[in-house]
Amino acid sequence: MRILTVLTYYRPHTSGLTIYAERIAKAFVARGHQVTVLTSQFEKDLPLREMMDGIEVIRSPVLFRLNKGVIMPWIGLQATIEALKHDVILLHLPQFDAAGISLRGRLFKKPTIIAYHSDLILPPGAFNRFVNFVVDTANRLTATFAHRISAYTEDIAEHSPYLSSYPKKVRVITPPVELPEAALAVIGAFRFRHNPERKRVIGMATRFASEKGVEVLLDALPKVLEKHPNIKVLYAGQHEGVWGEQEYFARLIPRIRELEAAGKWKFLGVLPLTDMPAFFANLDVICVPSLNSTETFGFVQVEAMMNGVPSVASNLPGVRQPVKMTGMGEVIPIGSSDALARALIRILDQP
């Protein structure tokens, strides 16, 4: 079977969505299918075509960037050519261009499936409200033409205004989570590099973005430090130069620099996937204080739990499910730094 996968960002970009798309594409290839990924050339030095792990990656040139999105003038033509050559179309939403591609799926009689990852909620402002409206309209047109829509959990399928509008098309498919086991020597080497003091560790693994709730953790830390002064935050993920988040970073970074100077916070940057098992194994708790429905699951929770690490997660549809399903951690009210502090203290109180 020839499968055309379309999404805005693919490798080497790192996010939960791109990791999910990559895992699915590799799994199809391993089963003998032919997979093509049509995506954006979000950095000009990326090749327009290349083979990655047996997957053909086609990148459409970007005319300009629109907040966290991109405008690709040639993607319609490229999608037409590729749709005609493939048997199935898989669209990862949200993405602005998906409506036209799903229409091509209907016109060309190609089964078209949506993998719905999250809503798009941009920072406040008239222009961003317009962009949100356009993308939401495009997503709904995409659903009209698509044959099936996949959702991570029943929880998000029931509570998402988007997914709940198409109950006959939605199928719940638990997302794939893969994490190799780290050798003890590798775990120890990671600790020696990043936590030689052997402090108790609170982890975050995500882009530095306003919807991720970094300030909720910052507001909770003073109370946690009162009870557990020997703690440290290890933050894995892109923290500088995140598209559309410069003001947010500038507002929070002075507080973080103070914590860094006191040895209470360390940015690790974007870790290779091969280093993530050692990262999780060095945590006492992982923190997922997300603020809105741009987060609908939180793969890092499951990956941490696979290493015996509990999670403190926001009470958002989907995000709360790993804790509820496993009992490993606590669910807190959205945006409550007091509740986050209490939950972290309770977990850190345990030996």
Side-chain angles (χ1 to χ4, degrees):
M1 184 167 60
R2 296 164 297 177
I3 303 166
L4 174 63
T5 296
V6 188
L7 69 164
T8 304
Y9 297 105
Y10 191 67
R11 291 304 197 178
H13 180 76
T14 299
S15 70
L17 193 159
T18 55
I19 292 171
Y20 175 102
E22 181 186 40
R23 285 173 178 166
I24 293 294
K26 286 182 177 179
F28 281 135
V29 170
R31 287 161 174 76
H33 301 294
Q34 175 186 322
V35 179
T36 301
V37 170
L38 178 59
T39 187
S40 71
Q41 188 193 29
F42 61 89
E43 298 289 354
K44 290 188 177 181
D45 59 345
L46 291 173
L48 293 176
R49 283 180 180 262
E50 67 173 315
M51 294 296 296
M52 301 177 68
D53 303 304
I55 301 158
E56 183 182 18
V57 179
I58 302 173
R59 297 188 178 92
S60 188
V62 172
L63 181 62
F64 61 89
R65 194 179 301 282
L66 194 62
N67 201 294
K68 297 181 182 181
V70 294
I71 301 301
M72 299 174 281
W74 298 108
I75 195 167
L77 176 60
Q78 291 172 301
T80 299
I81 294 169
E82 297 303 323
L84 288 168
K85 297 191 316 192
H86 289 76
D87 303 308
V88 177
I89 300 172
L90 173 60
L91 301 170
H92 292 275
L93 265 60
Q95 64 166 302
F96 175 73
D97 305 285
I101 299 171
S102 64
L103 174 60
R104 289 167 174 81
R106 279 288 179 176
L107 294 175
F108 302 154
K109 297 182 174 13
K110 309 285 185 176
T112 302
I113 300 164
I114 294 171
Y116 192 73
H117 296 271
S118 71
D119 298 332
L120 176 67
I121 302 176
L122 296 175
F127 180 72
N128 283 342
R129 285 196 299 272
F130 171 74
V131 173
N132 274 324
F133 170 78
V134 170
V135 173
D136 183 63
T137 301
N139 286 345
R140 291 186 177 278
L141 285 172
T142 305
T144 300
F145 300 129
H147 298 84
R148 290 288 184 271
I149 306 171
S150 74
Y152 289 163
T153 63
E154 291 282 359
D155 191 18
I156 191 64
E158 292 174 2
H159 289 89
S160 164
Y162 178 81
L163 292 171
S164 60
S165 300
Y166 308 98
K168 293 183 179 179
K169 292 188 176 184
V170 171
R171 301 292 184 272
V172 173
I173 303 172
T174 305
V177 179
E178 298 176 344
L179 192 73
E181 188 174 345
L184 290 176
V186 175
I187 295 170
F190 189 97
R191 182 187 303 116
F192 181 77
R193 289 198 308 274
H194 302 298
N195 184 27
E197 314 93 340
R198 292 180 173 267
K199 295 179 179 179
R200 306 292 297 279
V201 177
I202 299 169
M204 279 194 75
T206 186
R207 290 176 298 109
F208 201 105
S210 56
E211 67 268 16
K212 302 300 183 180
V214 181
E215 75 274 23
V216 181
L217 176 58
L218 285 172
D219 291 342
L221 281 178
K223 292 183 179 179
V224 179
L225 285 164
E226 284 181 14
K227 184 70 183 293
H228 291 279
N230 193 39
I231 63 164
K232 183 177 192 175
V233 175
L234 291 182
Y235 192 106
Q238 183 184 0
H239 61 281
E240 293 181 312
V242 179
W243 300 318
E245 301 293 345
Q246 291 82 357
E247 290 184 11
Y248 181 68
F249 181 77
R251 178 163 58 86
L252 298 187
I253 195 61
R255 298 167 64 187
I256 294 174
R257 293 300 183 217
E258 292 180 6
L259 291 166
E260 285 181 316
K264 303 299 183 184
W265 188 291
K266 184 173 183 179
F267 284 120
L268 305 180
V270 179
L271 294 174
L273 291 180
T274 51
D275 284 358
M276 291 305 291
F279 166 75
F280 290 120
N282 274 281
L283 304 182
D284 292 282
V285 58
I286 193 162
C287 186
V288 186
S290 304
L291 297 175
N292 59 43
S293 57
T294 54
E295 189 84 73
T296 56
F297 190 68
F299 292 89
V300 294
Q301 296 185 84
V302 179
E303 292 166 333
M305 290 171 181
M306 291 167 69
N307 282 274
V309 177
S311 172
V312 179
S314 293
N315 191 24
L316 284 165
V319 176
R320 59 198 174 198
Q321 285 306 104
V323 172
K324 286 191 169 187
M325 292 171 69
T326 63
M328 293 182 66
E330 298 196 24
V331 176
I332 61 168
I334 301 165
S336 175
S337 58
D338 288 340
L340 176 58
R342 291 193 295 269
L344 290 173
I345 289 169
R346 282 191 291 269
I347 290 172
L348 293 169
D349 280 344
Q350 301 172 17

